[in-house]
Amino acid sequence: KWKGEGTTQNLESIVIGRCYDYIRIVNPAVGEKNCSQIWEAFKNAFINKDPCSILPNDYALFINLSLHTIPPNKSLFWENNQLLVNSFAARGRRYMSLGDTLFGFVGDFLNWCGQADSPGLDYESCPTTMECENNAVESFWRMASITYAQHSSGVIHVLLNGSADGGAYPQPGFFADYEIPNLQKGNISQITIWVVDDIGGPDIDSCGTHSVKTLETRLKTLGYDVTCTDNYE
C-alpha cells in the first residue's frame, strides 16, 4: 500500500467529460478532438505498469492528441498559488495557464495510478513523489509542463507567491526544472514576473531579493528581457 491517495473515482468519465466540456464550452476554438482516443492514450501511459516506472514520455501520444495552439502573450506560469491563477486566468479568457489548456484541464486536481501486470486502476493508494519520482501523476505534469513551455510565445507571465515558505521561486520546482529549460527563446519577447503576497500573509519574498533575485538573474543570464512587479494591482 502506497502513502498517497488512490485513483479518483470515475476517472474515465471525468477525463472524457472534461475533454468534451473543454472543446464544446471552455475553448471551442481548439476545434474537434477525439475525447475517447485522448482517454485511451492517457490510460495507456500508466496502465499495466509498475506505478513507480512511469516516465514523462509515456504521455507523448496523449499530448499529441490533445495539443493545440497557446495564444501569444497569454501564457501564465506560476508556483504556490494555483487557486489565484485559476481565478485570474479566468479559464483562458484573460490568460491561458497550463490548467487552461486541454491537456492540463483534463488532469487538474485528479489522482491516478495503475498496477503492474493488471489492467485495472488502483483506487486504494498511489505512490507519492516522496516514495518515487517516476509516478503516474508527477510524470504527467512534467510532460505537460515541458509541452506548455515549448508552445508559449510573446510576453511570458509568471505569477509567484511572495508569502510562500521557502521563497517565491522554489528550487527544485516545475518552473525551475521543466519550464524555464524548455522555453523557446526565439519566440519570447519578454518575461514579466508578478510577486504577490497572500492577503494578510507575510511578505517573505519580493522583486530583487532572495529567491526572486535568483530567478531574475537566471533569466537575464539566459538573455531574456525581464521585468518584475510586486503586488501588481
Side-chain angles (χ1 to χ4, degrees), residues 2-14:
W2 302 104
K3 292 193 173 73
E5 61 180 270
T7 298
T8 307
Q9 296 286 339
N10 310 105
L11 183 71
E12 178 176 356
S13 300
I14 294 171

Side-chain angles (χ1 to χ4, degrees), residues 35-225:
C35 293
S36 299
Q37 272 189 351
I38 285 172
W39 159 253
E40 289 298 323
F42 174 81
K43 180 183 71 174
N44 288 335
F46 63 90
I47 215 80
N48 261 323
K49 297 178 187 174
D50 173 350
C52 279
S53 62
I54 314 298
L55 299 174
N57 215 42
D58 291 336
Y59 289 98
L61 178 58
F62 163 80
I63 290 288
N64 288 340
L65 292 171
S66 57
L67 191 60
H68 57 83
T69 303
I70 297 168
N73 311 317
K74 291 277 191 175
S75 290
L76 179 63
F77 294 84
W78 58 274
E79 289 282 7
N80 297 315
N81 50 23
Q82 185 169 11
L83 298 178
L84 173 61
V85 165
N86 286 356
S87 55
F88 186 49
R91 272 285 165 255
R93 286 188 292 276
R94 189 179 284 121
Y95 293 100
M96 187 179 283
S97 69
L98 174 53
D100 303 313
T101 65
L102 173 56
F103 51 94
F105 187 78
V106 297
D108 232 4
F109 297 107
L110 301 179
N111 208 51
W112 63 88
C113 65
Q115 308 165 64
D117 309 317
S118 160
L121 301 167
D122 190 339
Y123 294 100
E124 296 300 309
S125 64
C126 290
T128 63
T129 301
M130 297 295 287
E131 289 176 290
C132 60
E133 285 200 1
N134 292 332
N135 67 62
V137 174
E138 181 81 7
S139 289
F140 173 88
W141 287 113
R142 286 179 183 176
M143 187 66 174
S145 292
I146 289 165
T147 305
Y148 180 70
Q150 288 170 338
H151 289 84
S152 293
S153 64
V155 179
I156 302 293
H157 309 85
V158 186
L159 187 56
L160 301 176
N161 186 341
S163 300
D165 281 343
Y169 170 58
Q171 293 178 281
F174 276 85
F175 185 55
D177 299 341
Y178 300 101
E179 292 169 340
I180 292 175
N182 285 289
L183 292 172
Q184 305 298 299
K185 188 168 182 300
N187 298 334
I188 293 168
S189 55
Q190 188 178 58
I191 299 181
T192 299
I193 303 167
W194 293 317
V195 185
V196 294
D197 301 330
D198 291 337
I199 293 173
D203 178 7
I204 294 172
D205 217 340
S206 41
C207 296
T209 63
H210 306 306
S211 76
V212 183
K213 185 176 185 179
T214 304
L215 172 60
E216 290 175 86
T217 303
R218 177 179 179 186
L219 293 173
K220 285 173 183 171
T221 303
L222 289 169
Y224 291 106
D225 174 19

Side-chain angles (χ1 to χ4, degrees), residues 22-23 27-31:
Y22 191 88
I23 66 173
N27 190 7
V30 302

